[in-house]
Amino acid sequence: MRDPTLSLYILLFCFYLTVADRRMVKFAVYEHNVTLPPIVKNAVNRQEALHNMMINLEAMKAITEEASKQGAKLIVLPEYGIFLPASFIGLDKTKLIPYLERIPNPKTVSWNPCDNPGRFLDVDLSSKEQFHIRRANYGDLQPCQNDPDCPSSGHLQFNTNIVYDNRGTFIAKYHKFNLYYEFHFDTPKQADITTFQTLFGTFGVFTCFDILFHDPTIELIEKQGVRNIVFPTAWIDKFPFFISFHSAFAIGSGINFLSSNLHLPSYKFHGSGIYTPNGAAKYYYNVRTDEGRLLVADIPILEKFSKTQKTSAVTTTYKIVSASNDQSQFRVRISRDQFNMVPINNRFGNVSVCHNTLCCSLSYQMTSDDKEFAFGAFDGLHRFYYVQICTLLKCRDSNHKSCGLFTNTSTTYFKDIEIGGNFPGTYIYPEILLSKDGELTLSTFQKWQHNHNVLVLNGTSEFPLLSVSLFSRVYSKDRATDISSILKSSIISIVFMLLSVPAVTMIILFHNIKLTKTTLFKSIYF
C-alpha cells in the first residue's frame, strides 16, 4: 500500500465545478494558527509524522469548507501550514523526511485524485464541497540519481506549492527558489516560472522570501504579464517596512496579491491580506489573539499586462524640493541599516535628506504639533539585497534613537503629503502604515496617488500616521545570497557579544533567556 500523506492533504482540496463571474471574483486567504508538532531529538516515523500533520490538515479542511460556503472560488493556505520550519521543531534535513511526499509532475502526469485516488495512493477519497482552485504549501521529496550534483542521500527536498483546479485535478507545483534559513530544503537550479489557468483568469505562484527578488517574481509579472498572484508565506513582520510590504507590492506592481500567512504572534508570524492595485480589500493583523482568520473578499480579476502597459507605467521625472525649514540631520539604525534622518519640527513645511546617491524630499501638513516624527533616506545593501528607501515615520518617543523602533500608537493625522526621491530604478513600492485604536492598519489608498517615484496624499489620512515610505529594490546591485555565511557571521557576533558580558551578568542572561534556534532566527530575520 502506498503512503497516504498526500491523499490526506488532497482531501482538503477536491471539489466540483461551479460557474464564476468573470468581472468580480470572491477570493479567500487563511491565516492559520498552526499547531506545532512536539520538539524532537530523534527522527519520528512515518505514522508519527502523519499524526502530527493531521491536526493542521483537519483545521484547514474545516476552513476550506467555510470559504466554499461563503462563495469563494479560490483559497490560499499558508507556507508551513502543516508544520513550522524544521528548525523550529528540532528537525534537520534528514529528520524532516517523514513529513515529505514525492509529488508528481503535473506537466507530465495527468491526475485527478478525486476521480482516481488509487493511481498514486491507495486511499479512498470523496468530492463534496464546491470550489474552483486550492493553493497550498507542502514538502516535495524528489529522487535525483541521474543528476551529477545529486547528494549522497539520492534525493532532493523542496519547499513546494501545489495547485488543484475546479475539478480536483492537480495542475501545478512550484519549488521555492529563494530560501530563507531553510537548510532542510534544497534550492532549485533555476527559478520556476509557474502559472495556472482558471475560468476567471491567469494566476502566478511564488513563496514568501521570493517577493524580494527578481527571479521568479519580476520575471513572472513582466515577461508573463501575470497580474494575479497567490502567495503562501511564513512572514515575520518587522517595523516599519515589512508590515505593509505585501500591499505596497500589489500597488507598485499593479496586481492582485493574495497573501496567506501563519498566525503565531509569539513567533512574530502574522499579517495576511487580499491586496489590489487600489489598496487592501481585506487585511488581518492581530497580535492579541492566538486565533487565525479566514479572509474573503470580492475583487476585480485583472487581465494580463501588455508590454506597452508595463513600459508606459514608468514615465515620471522627479525634482528634489528645497527645504524651507532648519534641518538638524542625525543618523539612526532602522532594520539594521544606517539611515540619514531629519526631524519634523513644524506643523507644515518641506524637508529633504540624502544618503549616498539617493535624495528624498517631503512636503506635508500635520493636524497637531508632534515632535516625534522624522524623515529619512537609505541607499545601500540590506544584508545582501540592495534597497533605496525614503521614509516619513513616527519615532517611539522624542529620542532620535527610538526612530525605527516598533510603535503602534499615533494620534497625529497628516494631510497633503508629497514624498518622492530620485530613484534610478523602476521597482518602487509605496508603503502606508496607520494606527487605528492602538492597532496597526493599512490605508485603503482611496486618497493616495502613486506614480513611480512620487507618492501623494490628497486630503487628510484616514487614521493617525505611523509611516509612509517609498521602498525601491535595485536588483542589479544585489550580491550573492549566501545565507550560510550570514548566519555564521550572526552567530559569531552573538558569541563575541556574550564573551564581552561580565560573568555574573551572563548567568542572569542565560537564566532568563533561552537562546534557541527560534530566537536566533527571529533576531536576524530581515
Side-chain angles (χ1 to χ4, degrees):
M1 179 173 178
R2 295 179 181 271
D3 200 298
T5 305
L6 186 57
S7 68
L8 295 173
Y9 207 66
I10 292 167
L11 185 60
L12 304 179
F13 309 120
C14 298
F15 303 96
Y16 288 127
L17 176 65
T18 60
V19 178
D21 185 335
R22 291 180 179 271
R23 293 166 295 176
M24 296 288 291
V25 180
K26 187 168 288 187
F27 297 115
V29 302
Y30 177 44
E31 180 158 310
H32 177 46
N33 178 244
V34 59
T35 299
L36 307 183
I39 296 176
V40 297
K41 293 183 179 180
N42 301 312
V44 299
N45 61 37
R46 188 60 168 175
Q47 291 305 312
E48 289 172 316
L50 291 174
H51 172 77
N52 292 338
M53 291 187 287
M54 181 55 66
I55 298 172
N56 293 301
L57 291 169
E58 290 294 337
M60 289 190 285
K61 178 180 184 294
I63 287 297
T64 303
E65 292 172 354
E66 176 59 29
S68 177
K69 291 176 182 177
Q70 294 188 33
K73 306 303 180 186
L74 180 153
I75 187 169
V76 185
L77 302 176
E79 182 184 25
Y80 290 110
I82 57 176
F83 55 84
L84 269 181
S87 58
F88 278 61
I89 53 176
L91 301 179
D92 58 20
K93 193 170 186 178
T94 300
K95 292 178 183 177
L96 184 65
I97 292 174
Y99 287 88
L100 306 180
E101 177 65 64
R102 181 175 177 179
I103 303 174
N105 184 351
K107 294 180 180 180
T108 59
V109 173
S110 177
W111 177 42
N112 186 319
C114 300
D115 297 336
N116 191 5
R119 182 174 180 186
F120 289 96
L121 304 157
D122 297 328
V123 176
D124 185 27
L125 296 172
S126 60
S127 301
K128 297 179 180 179
E129 293 78 22
Q130 293 184 339
F131 226 86
H132 272 280
I133 301 293
R134 280 68 57 194
R135 252 293 305 108
N137 178 261
Y138 201 52
D140 192 5
L141 188 71
Q142 289 293 319
C144 59
Q145 289 88 344
N146 296 327
D147 185 339
D149 298 323
C150 187
S152 58
S153 64
H155 69 264
L156 297 171
Q157 300 171 198
F158 299 107
N159 180 329
T160 305
N161 295 336
I162 53 179
V163 184
Y164 296 90
D165 74 4
N166 52 288
R167 293 184 174 88
T169 301
F170 177 44
I171 59 172
K173 75 172 179 178
Y174 165 75
H175 290 154
K176 184 178 180 181
F177 186 61
N178 297 284
L179 301 175
Y180 197 91
Y181 299 96
E182 297 167 84
F183 306 114
H184 46 281
F185 283 128
D186 295 295
T187 301
K189 289 187 175 181
Q190 61 184 21
D192 295 334
I193 307 301
T194 301
T195 65
F196 61 90
Q197 300 296 322
T198 73
L199 294 177
F200 34 82
T202 303
F203 283 75
V205 185
F206 53 85
T207 309
C208 201
F209 203 42
D210 286 330
I211 194 175
L212 287 167
F213 297 92
H214 188 278
D215 299 334
T217 305
I218 302 304
E219 289 283 318
L220 187 66
I221 295 169
E222 291 195 346
K223 289 193 175 181
Q224 300 294 322
V226 176
R227 299 185 70 192
N228 307 286
I229 300 294
V230 293
F231 181 74
T233 186
W235 190 267
I236 299 180
D237 72 10
K238 181 69 174 176
F239 183 86
F241 306 121
F242 294 108
I243 294 176
S244 57
F245 185 74
H246 299 164
S247 179
F249 186 81
I251 295 167
S253 302
I255 62 174
N256 290 330
F257 194 75
L258 312 180
S259 173
S260 172
N261 197 6
L262 299 175
H263 184 77
L264 288 170
S266 60
Y267 290 85
K268 293 186 70 63
F269 289 110
H270 39 55
S272 299
I274 298 173
Y275 307 112
T276 77
N278 299 315
K282 279 288 181 71
Y283 176 64
Y284 180 63
Y285 185 98
N286 190 328
V287 300
R288 298 182 180 182
T289 177
D290 289 331
E291 296 181 3
R293 178 68 62 88
L294 173 67
L295 304 179
V296 180
D298 282 293
I299 60 173
I301 198 71
L302 298 177
E303 300 297 328
K304 281 189 173 184
F305 277 125
S306 68
K307 292 183 179 180
T308 303
Q309 284 176 306
K310 289 300 291 180
T311 302
S312 63
V314 182
T315 57
T316 308
T317 58
Y318 180 71
K319 296 181 179 179
I320 298 297
V321 300
S322 59
S324 60
N325 59 332
D326 179 45
Q327 298 180 50
S328 178
Q329 184 169 301
F330 62 95
R331 303 189 75 190
V332 66
R333 284 194 176 276
I334 302 175
S335 297
R336 300 179 179 271
D337 299 322
Q338 194 80 29
F339 278 67
N340 287 342
M341 307 286 292
V342 292
I344 302 298
N345 289 322
N346 302 311
R347 289 185 64 173
F348 62 90
N350 300 319
V351 295
S352 61
V353 62
C354 299
H355 181 251
N356 294 334
T357 63
L358 175 67
C359 286
C360 306
S361 68
L362 168 74
S363 64
Y364 70 94
Q365 294 184 55
M366 282 193 291
T367 58
S368 61
D369 287 319
D370 189 335
K371 304 301 184 183
E372 296 179 355
F373 278 87
F375 183 62
F378 175 76
D379 173 19
L381 277 169
H382 178 77
R383 296 191 174 278
F384 49 83
Y385 58 92
Y386 205 98
V387 299
Q388 294 181 316
I389 302 171
C390 297
T391 183
L392 166 67
L393 59 82
K394 175 79 162 58
C395 305
R396 182 178 289 180
D397 53 46
S398 58
N399 188 329
H400 290 164
K401 292 182 179 179
S402 75
C403 297
L405 298 180
F406 178 81
T407 179
N408 57 6
T409 303
S410 175
T411 58
T412 304
Y413 291 80
F414 277 73
K415 62 181 298 186
D416 299 332
I417 293 173
E418 181 172 326
I419 180 174
N422 62 336
F423 299 97
T426 61
Y427 305 103
I428 306 168
Y429 308 109
E431 300 193 19
I432 303 159
L433 191 60
L434 307 173
S435 176
K436 180 182 179 183
D437 301 325
E439 298 286 350
L440 300 181
T441 191
L442 303 184
S443 170
T444 59
F445 217 72
Q446 294 177 354
K447 297 182 178 181
W448 297 83
Q449 292 181 322
H450 173 238
N451 190 353
H452 185 39
N453 49 5
V454 178
L455 178 61
V456 176
L457 168 64
N458 297 307
T460 305
S461 58
E462 309 98 305
F463 299 105
L465 193 72
L466 288 172
S467 69
V468 177
S469 308
L470 288 171
F471 184 108
S472 174
R473 279 287 285 114
V474 186
Y475 303 109
S476 61
K477 293 186 176 182
D478 290 355
R479 73 183 184 195
T481 56
D482 186 358
I483 294 290
S484 297
S485 63
I486 294 171
L487 179 62
K488 185 182 296 183
S489 65
S490 299
I491 294 174
I492 292 172
S493 298
I494 292 173
V495 170
F496 275 107
M497 177 192 71
L498 293 176
L499 290 176
S500 67
V501 177
V504 174
T505 305
M506 189 179 295
I507 292 171
I508 296 173
L509 176 68
F510 277 99
H511 179 73
N512 290 283
I513 299 174
K514 293 180 180 179
L515 187 59
T516 64
K517 291 182 181 179
T518 300
T519 56
L520 175 61
F521 186 94
K522 288 165 64 176
S523 71
I524 60 181
Y525 193 82
F526 291 127

